[in-house]
Amino acid sequence: RLSSGKKIIDPSDDAAGLAVASRMSAQISRIDAARSNLSNSVSFLQTQDGFLQKVGKALDRMSELSVLAQDITKSDGDRALYAEEFTQLKTMVSDSAGMTFNGVKMFGSQSKAVTVNEDGGTTKLPAINLQADPYAAAVADETAIVTLDSAAAALATVKEGMSQVSTDRAKVGSAQASLEAESE
């Protein structure tokens, strides 16, 4: 409204005021879009962390099975049962590499840039690659627990994978904290 009480209908009524209002409106729209990006990225990271937790639990169980398979009082039949579960867990870890969030791959070798402010500034989400070592080594065909020796070797390999899960979860947590701070 103009000081005369009339509404601004045409740009000629208050050209400068209309220009300022238009710029502010556009800026608010960009801020809202950036906040939406931040919110979606936090959700992406939370989902990614959830899968990493499952991968960590699978690797933990794989390490437990590796230790059980090294028990000299177990028969080859017992070891075969442990090996069957071990193989199923390897498949679950391997399949996790292809998980998507809203059609976007969650795991890969490339980091993802997220627009975090109205000026187009970006930050990168960490690249978590479940198809690279030590994950790949833990789920490789040659990683097995069918003999005492193979179970000992598998344990060492799986322990490296478990260590990587911890590192990757820390990266995801750090990125999430950074995005949450950016959105405040």
Side-chain angles (χ1 to χ4, degrees):
R1 288 191 173 261
L2 295 172
S3 59
S4 64
K6 294 181 181 180
K7 287 185 178 179
I8 301 173
I9 297 174
D10 292 320
S12 62
D13 292 339
D14 183 7
L18 182 63
V20 169
S22 292
R23 277 196 312 272
M24 290 180 122
S25 178
Q27 183 179 19
I28 289 169
S29 294
R30 289 191 309 271
I31 290 171
D32 288 344
R35 283 186 185 262
S36 177
N37 287 351
L38 287 168
S39 178
N40 290 338
S41 297
V42 167
S43 294
F44 177 91
L45 290 169
Q46 288 170 338
T47 305
Q48 191 178 45
D49 183 56
F51 276 104
L52 286 173
Q53 280 180 316
K54 289 181 181 187
V55 167
K57 286 180 182 178
L59 291 171
D60 185 40
R61 178 64 179 156
M62 289 168 64
S63 70
E64 182 181 355
L65 291 168
S66 297
V67 171
L68 290 170
Q70 293 179 59
D71 184 352
I72 59 167
T73 65
K74 301 292 186 202
S75 68
D76 287 342
D78 293 335
R79 252 186 293 289
L81 292 173
Y82 293 147
E84 185 178 324
E85 182 181 353
F86 189 88
T87 300
Q88 289 173 359
L89 290 167
K90 285 184 358 178
T91 300
M92 189 285 277
V93 170
S94 182
D95 289 349
S96 294
M99 292 296 141
T100 62
F101 177 88
N102 208 21
V104 176
K105 282 191 72 158
M106 285 193 288
F107 303 104
S109 59
Q110 299 290 325
S111 60
K112 293 170 179 41
V114 178
T115 303
V116 295
N117 61 39
E118 75 275 7
D119 295 325
T122 62
T123 191
K124 293 201 182 258
L125 302 183
I128 308 295
N129 192 354
L130 296 182
Q131 294 179 317
D133 282 338
Y135 297 114
V139 300
D141 288 339
E142 56 272 4
T143 305
I145 59 171
V146 292
T147 66
L148 293 172
D149 290 338
S150 67
L155 178 60
T157 302
V158 171
K159 283 172 56 178
E160 289 178 22
M162 291 170 59
S163 178
Q164 187 63 45
V165 167
S166 298
T167 300
D168 287 344
R169 287 195 66 206
K171 288 178 189 176
V172 169
S174 175
Q176 184 177 342
S178 174
L179 290 177
E180 288 172 348
E182 186 80 38
S183 68
E184 293 177 0

